[in-house]
Amino acid sequence: MPDAPTSFTSSSPSALTAVEQEILRACRDAKRERASVTLIAVSKTFAADAIEPVIAAGQRVFGENRVQEAKGKWPALMAAHPGLSLHLIGPLQSNKAKEAVALFDAIHSVDRPSLCAALAKEIAAQNRHPQLFVQINTGEEPQKAGIAPGEADAFVAACRKDYGLEISGLMCIPPVDEAPGPHFALTAKIAARNGLANLSMGMSADFATAIQFGATHVRVGSAIFGHR
Ligand SMILES: *Cc1c(COP(=O)(O)O)cnc(C)c1O
């Protein structure tokens, strides 16, 4: 017998339960309501047969990092399971803004004026309003997407004023080799002074820390679906 494909074995309702329990504990420690944190189950690279059990276990919010991949698997899943919501957490090319606005309920990677223009055009054309997050490159890593912290205030102001975009919050991905806490704190500080209520931060390794620093959206992949 060949090994079963990863997609059958990796995700399990018990992994989702363990993540849920850790979120509950982090909320309790931070004296926050569980309802103030949205768990985004990041299903990138996993096929529909791995996602189905997680939906069956009650998860309703999912994240993908590529438009093409999401287009291939989510329309059918969403048709079969009304009430799901889908978040784009990866970089977005301006020429895919049309597809992204059509498919996603939230976009976490707004990070340049040309993308703002493309999103504004599609939001108006489709009359769909995905929740928008500006990505902050808190570590100022050259290879990473996002706005430098020093340019964040001006960029958020431009999103609002120049493009008429309603920005819901900020997103960050701390450098892999650094403690995440200071990056979460910086993101929270920039959000607070710009009147932004939502913070998309925290992944499998650090979502409890992110909740401590105010995360409203945690993006958890491997802790739910297994290794990619
Ligand atoms: C893949 C990914 C995640 C989830 O990462 P895990 O470590 O598997 O939890 C979160 N955010 C972004 C932007 C990602 O690309």
Side-chain angles (χ1 to χ4, degrees):
M1 275 276 288
D3 287 345
T6 323
S7 59
F8 282 103
T9 55
S10 52
S11 69
S12 73
S14 64
L16 179 67
T17 302
V19 168
E20 181 57 43
Q21 281 168 354
E22 199 174 339
I23 291 173
L24 274 171
R25 187 182 51 72
C27 285
R28 208 162 43 231
D29 289 351
K31 303 201 170 15
R32 296 181 55 189
E33 299 281 338
R34 170 65 188 87
S36 71
V37 179
T38 298
L39 169 62
I40 302 168
V42 177
S43 50
K44 66 189 186 196
T45 78
F46 289 96
D49 55 21
I51 298 169
E52 288 279 5
V54 179
I55 297 172
Q59 178 64 22
R60 289 293 172 268
V61 184
F62 290 85
E64 290 282 342
N65 70 334
R66 300 177 65 177
V67 176
Q68 282 319 111
E69 183 185 340
K71 265 186 79 178
K73 58 192 186 193
W74 281 99
L77 283 166
M78 289 168 128
H81 305 279
L84 298 184
S85 93
L86 189 60
H87 291 223
L88 179 63
I89 59 169
L92 177 58
Q93 293 171 269
S94 298
N95 65 10
K96 297 231 170 77
K98 182 176 184 172
E99 292 167 297
V101 168
L103 182 61
F104 291 95
D105 301 292
I107 296 171
H108 292 237
S109 48
V110 177
D111 69 348
R112 58 194 190 282
S114 58
L115 178 58
C116 290
L119 287 172
K121 177 168 165 256
E122 287 306 326
I123 286 166
Q126 300 182 35
N127 194 25
R128 271 184 54 88
H129 297 265
Q131 187 179 16
L132 301 178
F133 294 78
V134 168
Q135 183 173 350
I136 308 296
N137 185 358
T138 56
E140 307 204 44
E141 297 171 280
Q143 81 286 4
K144 204 169 266 176
I147 299 289
E151 288 156 24
D153 296 356
F155 183 76
V156 170
C159 287
R160 289 166 164 162
K161 191 164 157 289
D162 300 348
Y163 301 99
L165 295 177
E166 188 179 323
I167 302 298
S168 151
L170 302 180
M171 179 270 231
C172 76
I173 309 171
V176 287
D177 54 351
E178 291 182 26
H183 295 273
F184 296 152
L186 175 59
T187 306
K189 191 175 151 192
I190 297 169
R193 70 172 180 246
N194 285 282
L196 297 168
N198 289 300
L199 292 167
S200 166
M201 50 193 206
M203 303 171 35
S204 291
D206 55 17
F207 65 84
T209 306
I211 289 169
Q212 199 185 316
F213 283 93
T216 61
H217 294 70
V218 292
R219 310 178 308 266
V220 180
S222 49
I224 295 171
F225 289 98
H227 284 294
R228 290 184 291 273

